[in-house]
Amino acid sequence: MSLHDLLAIVGSFTVSFYLLKLTWKCCCWYREFILSEHWQVDLRSFGKWAVVTGATSGIGKAYAEELARRGLDVVLVSRSDHKLQKVAKEIESKYGRETRIIQADFTDGDGIYPAIAEVLRGLEIGVLVNNVGMLYTDHFAYFLDSGPDAGKKITQVFNCNMMSVAQMSRLVLPDMIARKTGLIINLASITGIRPQPLLTLYSATKGFVIFFSRCLQAEYKSKGITVQCVAPSFVSTNMTNNIKINCCVKSAPAFAREALNTVGHSSYTNGCLSHAFQNVAFMLLPDWLRMSSYFIKKQLNSPKLGDSWKKSK
């Protein structure tokens, strides 16, 4: 066999492998984003109540409303009592579902969880949406350029983005395991998939959410628990300065609806097809370029994108 023939065989196998891989990915996407529009899991099968953190605006509010529309009663958890009361009344009026509210600031640390546990005691919680999250700064910036009280901000980001996910999961899991059913949805971010300079702390904490979710799914799927990680790209919310909706940017209600459709079809999802394409593009960008000084300078000189990031509620 000549070298030319050997290279041809290796090339054929390589092309076939990647074609099969692409075909499989397309089939998965078809099931996850297209078929799921017509074949959805009945979320009421997990239990009567859903708990949503960061539920007064953006993706959290959209999840709460969509869960209520699908027949679940909702526990709303957020830091603003006024906004909680308002959202609760809207859900009760529009969807006829029962609501309960818990005022809690997730940046305060582990002292808030006994009070949350007390309100949740006795409720048949079928769904938990760990949505609450915050950014380190309101723009692209170096780690040390966060302004005054940098140490306090670091602790707040850790408490809000990571501790809340672990602690809220801890509160609901025992009853879910006893009933042998339950759904935990953890909101991560496309920036948590690969390191994102200038959003260092946010990127790192969302990376934690991705790994925590995947590990938790592996540990508890045999006990009837579904843990889904959702890693979206841009969604038009207060956090992204309500940027214009287009083929790449989803509205919060549209995103929540499509993301909830994927439950039962994928334990890790970008939530919608357009964000899945963006994820592929993001993955194709090599680390050496994204981590380069040139790319960092370009991001710093991109005020529109940088100024679009704000703290979530």
Side-chain angles (χ1 to χ4, degrees), residues 49-264:
W49 286 87
V51 179
V52 183
T53 66
T56 54
S57 68
I59 293 176
K61 181 182 178 183
Y63 261 97
E65 291 178 340
E66 184 64 22
L67 287 163
R69 189 184 72 82
R70 298 192 188 200
L72 282 82
D73 296 329
V74 186
V75 180
L76 307 166
V77 192
S78 192
R79 62 183 178 179
S80 169
D81 182 68
H82 171 71
K83 291 181 180 180
L84 284 167
Q85 296 282 359
K86 181 180 177 182
V87 174
K89 289 179 181 178
E90 289 175 0
I91 289 175
E92 291 173 358
S93 174
K94 189 172 182 179
Y95 302 105
R97 305 307 310 178
E98 186 178 349
T99 64
R100 296 193 184 183
I101 62 172
I102 303 176
Q103 183 181 9
D105 188 341
F106 286 98
T107 65
D108 287 344
D110 59 4
I112 66 173
Y113 295 99
I116 294 175
E118 185 63 32
V119 177
L120 298 182
R121 184 175 288 113
L123 298 182
E124 184 186 77
I125 299 169
V127 181
L128 166 66
V129 181
N130 281 313
N131 162 76
V132 69
M134 64 178 291
L135 285 155
Y136 186 56
T137 64
D138 61 357
H139 56 279
F140 282 134
Y142 287 102
F143 176 66
L144 293 179
D145 295 343
S146 63
D149 297 324
K152 182 179 179 181
K153 286 184 180 179
I154 291 171
T155 301
Q156 288 178 333
V157 172
F158 283 173
N159 288 341
C160 189
N161 293 9
M162 296 193 297
M163 184 184 289
S164 67
V165 176
Q167 291 283 19
M168 291 300 297
S169 298
R170 175 186 64 85
L171 292 182
V172 303
L173 267 173
D175 183 60
M176 289 181 173
I177 292 170
R179 292 185 292 108
K180 297 181 180 181
T181 186
L183 169 64
I184 296 175
I185 299 173
N186 295 326
L187 269 294
S189 167
I190 198 171
T191 63
I193 300 169
R194 292 287 180 89
Q196 179 58 60
L198 305 180
L199 289 174
T200 299
L201 205 59
Y202 184 77
S203 175
T205 57
K206 290 304 181 179
F208 164 84
V209 174
I210 292 172
F211 277 87
F212 178 81
S213 301
R214 295 181 69 177
C215 291
L216 209 65
Q217 167 69 3
E219 289 177 5
Y220 289 101
K221 62 183 177 182
S222 63
K223 301 182 184 297
I225 312 302
T226 299
V227 181
Q228 185 189 56
C229 182
V230 182
S233 182
F234 280 109
V235 177
S236 182
T237 66
N238 291 340
M239 192 177 191
T240 56
N241 206 28
N242 298 304
I243 53 178
K244 186 177 179 180
I245 297 167
N246 53 44
C247 62
C248 295
V249 180
K250 285 282 184 180
S251 69
F255 178 80
R257 180 184 63 80
E258 293 187 38
L260 277 172
N261 288 347
T262 68
V263 171

